[in-house]
Each structure stands twice: as C-alpha cells, then as structure tokens.
Amino acid sequence: MLPIKVLLVEDSPTQAAVSRHDLEGIGPEVEVTIVDTAAQALRTIQTRGANLDLIVLDLTLPDGSGLDVCRLIKTNGSTRGIPIIIFSMEALSTHRQEAYSAGADHYISKGSTGDATLRLVASTLLRKKLRKLPRLGESLVSYGYLTIHQLQQALDAQAASGQTTLLGQWLVQKGFITQAQLQEVLELQHSEGAAIRK
C-alpha cells in the first residue's frame, strides 16, 4: 500500500497535534509530517515534494508568510500539482482572496468548525488516492487474520451500532484482531507499495 504523505506547516504545537490527529484519522495510510517554519517547509518540499500528496499551511509563521510559501510551491513545475489547504486564524475575506491568488486550493478558517472542515476537505482532496489503495478488510482476509464471514460480521455489527470508528480500530476494539495484527498488516501493505514504486 502506498502511504499518503501530508505536510502540515503549523507553528502552534497544540493546533499541530489536533490537526495531525484529524488528518491521520482519515485513514491508516495517512502519514503527517509537521514543520513549524516557512524555511523548514521549503526545505521539506525541496527534498520530498514529489512524494507529497497534500500540504496544509498556516498563513502566519514565525519566519515568514504562508502566502510566500504557497506562491513558491505553485510556481515550481515539480510541485505545483500538490493541493494546498490554507488553514489559518485569519478570517477576513481579503486573506482568503490573497490565498487563492497565491494558488491555494482551499482556505479554511480555524475556529469552532475548522478542524472538522479540515478533515472533510483533506479527505475529499485525497479521495482519488485513497480509492487506489487496497482496502484494509480485504488485506486482513488475504493475510489470514480474518475470514470473509468474520469481516462481514464485523461490518454488519459496526453498521448496526452506528459507529463511525475506522474499520481497523473497530476490529481491534471488538476483538476480531489484535493491535499487533493490525499494525503488521498495515506494515505489509506499506512495504508492498514501496516495492511496487521501485
């Protein structure tokens, strides 16, 4: 399984932790790298830009503007295709217009619904790649940790409960698999994806 790589540029440790949790909650294959300055963001993009699937960028950074970072990403031929979400406390329409002029794909204001909106927009932007990845349930069956019947039982129980917990977490909580088995399958999927890329 190919991991989904997200770069989160956020100087508030508290907000970075919340955003990382929300982004990684989209799926077990989402990997979030956090940097807290414009300079670190540009270095990371320079070295890993081709492998990034999404950038979440704060406007106000200790060493510069997120708008400048956004412009540099969108004017570089090798990185301009990476979707950028500006996620900022700045809520004025002028900030929003400047962000879109700089090439941002989405602008989300932090606040009461900002974290939920970030997760929704990010999952929408990543949906195409998420659909290409092997489904966790199918992988658990193919590696012999679940039978198809057990998987169907688990899915039926999850639907009946109304829970929206990720499938892997649900399977561990309900005792269908152990945390170690889940981790092993995720690592196997990751290594298979890396082998395909080589």
Side-chain angles (χ1 to χ4, degrees), residues 109-120:
S109 297
K110 295 175 184 173
S112 60
T113 61
D115 294 317
T117 305
L118 174 63
R119 182 173 172 160
L120 177 65

Side-chain angles (χ1 to χ4, degrees), residues 58-73:
D58 193 359
L59 276 186
T60 308
L61 298 168
D63 62 340
S65 167
L67 289 176
D68 294 333
V69 175
C70 185
R71 280 188 200 94
L72 288 169
I73 295 166

Side-chain angles (χ1 to χ4, degrees), residues 6-25 30-37 40 56-58 60-62 87-89 110 115 118:
V6 177
L7 176 63
L8 173 60
V9 186
E10 173 59 63
D11 62 330
S12 162
T14 303
Q15 183 62 59
V18 171
S19 295
R20 168 182 253 160
H21 178 267
D22 288 338
L23 292 164
E24 290 180 343
V30 177
E31 296 176 5
V32 178
T33 299
I34 300 173
V35 297
D36 59 5
T37 66
Q40 288 176 328
V56 179
L57 182 59
D58 193 359
T60 308
L61 298 168
F87 191 47
S88 177
M89 288 299 295
K110 295 175 184 173
D115 294 317
L118 174 63

Side-chain angles (χ1 to χ4, degrees), residues 140-141 144-152:
L140 287 164
V141 170
Y145 288 120
L146 286 177
T147 66
I148 292 174
H149 178 70
Q150 288 171 321
L151 177 60
Q152 189 58 57

Side-chain angles (χ1 to χ4, degrees), residues 16-17 54 67 127:
L54 176 65
L67 289 176
R127 184 172 294 142

